[in-house]
Amino acid sequence: MEPVSKEPASVPIWFLTMVTIALVICALWFGRGFLMPLAITGLLYILTSALVDKIQNTSLMGWSPPGWMAQLLSTVFIIGAIVLLGLVASSSADDVQDALPRYQERFSVLSEQLEGFLGPKIVTSTQQAIEQADVGSWITSAMSGIGGALSTLGLITLYLAFLTGERLAWAAKLPLLASTKEETRRAKKVLGRISDGVKQYMWLNAVTSAMSGIIAFGIFSWVGLDFAPLLALTVFIAGFIPNIGAFIAITLPSLVALIQFDTLKPFLIVLLGYGLADQFIANVIKPKMQGRSLNLSTFMVMVALTFWATVWGGMGAFLAIPMTVVIMVVCAEISAMRWIAVLLSTDGQLSQEKTDVGDLKKQSAHSRAG
């Protein structure tokens, strides 16, 4: 009697999926110092590509800039914006540290004024909480962190310059990583969907956030608000943070105005003037500029924001939406991880499925017409 051979038990797909997710999270956490500059470079490169498209589609008396000129102009513009960001941050760091004692004194005066409205117990508890929190050390550490951020910006600038120089080579060789023609076609489709989704998000938020930042700088400078360039820059960056970005953009300058001035007039101008302008941009201009939706669930956007902020800190909040778009597109093409893409989407219908349904409807209409 021949012995019965036992085949090795196959590992469940769900187990492999969970192990893969755990390994990816560990890699994101431990490799964040290396991966974050690459992720930001990729997003800036996509934003550069969107700017190239806009420049090439611009016609001046029947003349449109050639591709090389559009690429050069967009690259110079993006790198110039990065340099400007670094200059504003570095020049404002010393101003913030110098103004800290004055703000602490002013806060003590405000506490005495609030004592009559809120009661001594609440004010005393608030002062003790602030003293225990040691806000001064927070600000000092934040200012020291700017130095590290500036070196990261320099690295990102170098990455972007070299990546832009090899743009055509990368566009040609990435699909060649696949082993078959079918996989190459599929890779091109995935890369195209990622590029379209992230490009739409980055371009829309770059334009609207720049509008908010310019208006904010004008209002802050008009009322004489301290650190107006730095606060306007904060408004611009906060525009890329979903849901809570608008709250950060209005709260921080309003608090500075409340503490800096002896009257409430500058505080109300900042709060109402900038707040109304920002709401007009968000609710009137932005919807008119927006094309098709990214098909991301609002709840999952908040989950993604929390996850990326936990893993990569404040920069993770900035990268939350683009990284989530990449994850959804990639997971939609992997059968074992398709459920992740479905959960991230608004209605469970992925982009490819919607395209297929549209094609079927067109084919059905043509067949009835025939």
Side-chain angles (χ1 to χ4, degrees), residues 75 95 104 129 131-132 205 219 244 258 320-321 351:
T75 303
D95 296 336
Q104 289 177 334
E131 290 175 359
Q132 292 176 358
N205 281 272
I219 294 176
I244 65 172
L258 183 63
I321 293 296
S351 299

Side-chain angles (χ1 to χ4, degrees), residues 188-200:
K188 288 182 178 180
K189 182 186 69 173
V190 171
L191 291 174
R193 289 173 58 191
I194 291 174
S195 177
D196 291 342
V198 177
K199 185 185 295 185
Q200 174 195 353

Side-chain angles (χ1 to χ4, degrees), residues 63-76:
W63 177 82
S64 298
W68 66 268
M69 182 179 293
Q71 184 68 43
L72 178 62
L73 291 175
S74 61
T75 303
V76 170

Side-chain angles (χ1 to χ4, degrees), residues 5-6 33 49 52 174 241 266 301 324 328:
S5 61
K6 294 183 179 180
S49 300
V52 169
L174 281 179
I241 302 176
V301 165
T324 305
M328 186 173 71

